[in-house]
Amino acid sequence: MSIRIQQVSKSFGSFQALHPLNLDIQDGEMVGLLGPSGSGKTTLLRMIAGLESCDTGKIFFQDQEVTRQHVRDRRVGFVFQHYALFKHMTVAENIAFGLDVLPKSQRPPQQEIQRRVSELLERIQLPHLAQRYPTQLSGGQKQRVALARALAMQPRVLLLDEPFGALDAKVRKELRRWLRELHDELGFTSVFVTHDQEEALEVSDRVVVMSQGRIEQQATPQELYHQPASRFVYDFLGQVNIFSGQVQGKKMSQGEAWIELPHPLKAEQGEVFLRSHELALSREPVQKAHLPMQINAINLIGAEVRLELLPQGWSSAEPWEVAISHQDFNSWQPQRGDRCFLRPLAGQFFAAAEASVTPAGPEPLNWSSSTRISLAS
Ligand SMILES: Nc1ncnc2c1ncn2[C@@H]1O[C@H](COP(=O)(O)OP(=O)(O)OP(=O)(O)O)[C@@H](O)[C@H]1O
């Protein structure tokens, strides 16, 4: 079931939660709505569901307009972060609930309901817990049951609002992979809300990044990561190091630090955004860049070693972070307080809109377009 959202907007009193926006979701697609708290993700999801009315605009499911259709007629399934399973009902009864309460004319025969429940219990890999009550389940198991309960109605569209938000990191990771598999196998259309970048990039076919009631960018995870359209998106997708300075042809400088750019830039002032793995680290000064740093903290946990660095002789609003392999770390054995130098490998330049030194903030539209640069030596 495809979904078309046309010029849809929403205000609560004088507050505009959603500015008119357009979004097309393909049949069978899994779309992640990603954005900080208050950006309008849940409002948009609730409008698709029919739980919230539209002030302006139209919503279509396939070719059928559903803008004013009641939630129960839209055939959407929901899973929320804190899905209230009925405590006095067993797992099997919870899954069957939606079917059991259908009007007699629409209700499948008991045998068919039982068959569907058994099949769903298999799918959520919990057939052995069919007779348990919700209080006897873990958080992850409860969310699986919530999902099965939504799927029992054979929805055309599945809407999920931070479905795994309350679970610990490991269970969360497991469940999102499992959800993706289920989505692929059953072929429904899914829209889910998250503020977790990793979650959105890992499972979505397409990610819609929202900020202040607007869509900042919609793209595949790969496009979003490699071609963020704005400072906001770049910044939101993970830790980013920002070098701001004056540009003179091929050189960009600030205090004692400078970077030689791969090609001259027209802007006089701007910022280079660099991710933690887009920088090379050296103990000695290097050519093509002078970014002196002092190691402030070392984090060994994870696939890479993360070093937190403080600029020396120049400034940055935030400490910088650089990732190196455990192998490099072991051969170098850097200590807290050691000096080192950085060399950019790749990054993105954002020109200042005017001759202003305002740091990048969550107002990307105030800035001029960005120029992708490759800083490989
Ligand atoms: N019923 C309501 N009445 C008044 N304001 C509301 C209502 N629902 C949402 N808002 C406001 O609209 C804005 C968007 O809210 P929404 O819940 O859509 O954001 P969100 O991106 O889902 O945030 P979160 O990640 O925190 O859930 C917020 O500023 C919120 O306070």
Side-chain angles (χ1 to χ4, degrees):
M1 173 70 55
S2 62
I3 304 170
R4 166 162 290 186
I5 294 163
Q6 273 180 355
Q7 290 296 306
V8 156
S9 71
K10 183 78 189 171
S11 294
F12 296 106
S14 60
F15 176 72
Q16 185 133 25
L18 282 185
H19 297 271
L21 57 80
N22 298 312
L23 179 63
D24 275 323
I25 297 168
Q26 306 304 315
D27 185 22
E29 199 177 18
M30 184 176 241
V31 167
L33 302 179
L34 175 70
S37 184
S39 54
K41 309 178 295 289
T42 297
T43 304
L44 181 57
L45 197 79
R46 288 173 59 84
M47 288 166 89
I48 298 172
L51 292 166
E52 205 77 75
S53 62
C54 303
D55 289 353
T56 63
K58 293 178 178 174
I59 299 179
F60 296 88
F61 282 2
Q62 214 79 2
D63 294 326
Q64 188 194 0
E65 189 182 343
V66 296
T67 321
R68 270 166 251 298
Q69 198 176 54
H70 192 272
V71 51
R72 76 169 170 260
D73 300 323
R74 292 199 192 185
R75 276 192 58 201
V76 291
F78 312 104
V79 183
F80 299 111
Q81 182 172 342
H82 297 286
Y83 199 90
L85 293 175
F86 297 114
K87 290 196 172 65
H88 61 286
M89 288 184 188
T90 62
V91 164
E93 286 164 350
N94 263 287
I95 297 173
F97 176 78
L99 296 168
D100 282 338
V101 297
L102 280 175
K104 209 165 182 183
S105 58
Q106 293 169 32
R107 195 186 318 149
Q110 263 312 310
Q111 236 180 345
E112 167 62 14
I113 295 181
Q114 289 314 319
R115 193 194 61 74
R116 245 192 252 181
V117 169
S118 304
E119 192 192 305
L120 283 162
L121 280 165
E122 290 288 338
R123 283 218 188 275
I124 61 168
Q125 297 152 6
L126 297 177
H128 54 297
L129 302 184
Q131 297 314 316
R132 284 224 189 146
Y133 288 89
T135 49
Q136 300 169 312
L137 302 177
S138 72
Q141 290 166 342
K142 276 187 213 164
Q143 284 307 76
R144 283 174 196 243
V145 176
L147 198 60
R149 182 159 123 165
L151 293 177
M153 303 301 291
Q154 298 178 321
R156 306 187 291 180
V157 171
L158 187 66
L159 303 175
L160 307 110
D161 193 351
E162 300 263 4
F164 311 132
L167 306 172
D168 75 51
K170 198 160 170 276
V171 177
R172 209 183 153 109
K173 213 166 178 155
E174 257 170 47
L175 280 193
R176 69 190 187 219
R177 294 221 176 105
W178 171 80
L179 172 67
R180 179 71 227 201
E181 281 169 23
L182 203 66
H183 168 97
D184 290 343
E185 206 182 311
L186 299 180
F188 45 81
T189 304
S190 310
V191 185
F192 74 100
V193 161
T194 183
H195 61 257
D196 180 335
Q197 308 85 339
E198 199 184 306
E199 183 159 291
L201 294 188
E202 189 180 318
V203 296
S204 317
D205 294 315
R206 205 148 47 94
V207 180
V208 175
V209 183
M210 298 188 63
S211 164
Q212 299 184 353
R214 291 189 166 88
I215 293 179
E216 280 278 330
Q217 187 171 5
Q218 39 174 314
T220 63
Q222 289 81 356
E223 282 167 356
L224 204 64
Y225 193 75
H226 293 295
Q227 294 159 326
S230 66
R231 292 159 191 269
F232 173 83
V233 175
Y234 208 114
D235 215 9
F236 194 69
L237 287 187
Q239 211 277 335
V240 66
N241 302 302
I242 302 173
F243 180 71
S244 59
Q246 306 284 336
V247 182
Q248 265 192 320
K250 276 182 80 172
K251 196 161 180 179
M252 188 166 167
S253 46
Q254 187 229 120
E256 286 176 23
W258 53 264
I259 296 174
E260 195 180 304
L261 300 165
H263 53 259
L265 295 174
K266 287 203 183 95
E268 290 176 9
Q269 191 149 9
E271 292 168 332
V272 177
F273 281 41
L274 301 144
R275 293 204 173 98
S276 57
H277 60 272
E278 294 174 334
L279 286 153
L281 192 68
S282 163
R283 264 189 292 193
E284 306 301 331
V286 288
Q287 288 183 340
K288 304 208 170 190
H290 184 67
L291 293 169
M293 292 288 195
Q294 187 177 47
I295 299 174
N296 189 46
I298 298 170
N299 181 358
L300 289 159
I301 295 174
E304 291 175 311
V305 179
R306 298 197 159 257
L307 303 179
E308 186 183 283
L309 306 171
L310 299 177
Q312 302 292 296
W314 58 286
S315 63
S316 161
E318 304 276 341
W320 280 37
E321 190 179 283
V322 173
I324 60 172
S325 69
H326 281 273
Q327 198 180 5
D328 287 344
F329 178 82
N330 290 335
S331 58
W332 175 19
Q333 302 267 336
Q335 306 288 317
R336 193 164 178 262
D338 282 358
R339 251 173 97 85
C340 61
F341 299 86
L342 292 177
R343 180 169 55 85
L345 298 173
Q348 187 156 322
F349 178 79
F350 289 93
E354 294 160 32
S356 148
V357 286
T358 310
E363 297 289 342
L365 299 175
N366 292 338
W367 300 83
S368 67
S369 63
S370 60
T371 312
R372 177 91 188 145
I373 59 171
S374 164
L375 294 170
S377 60

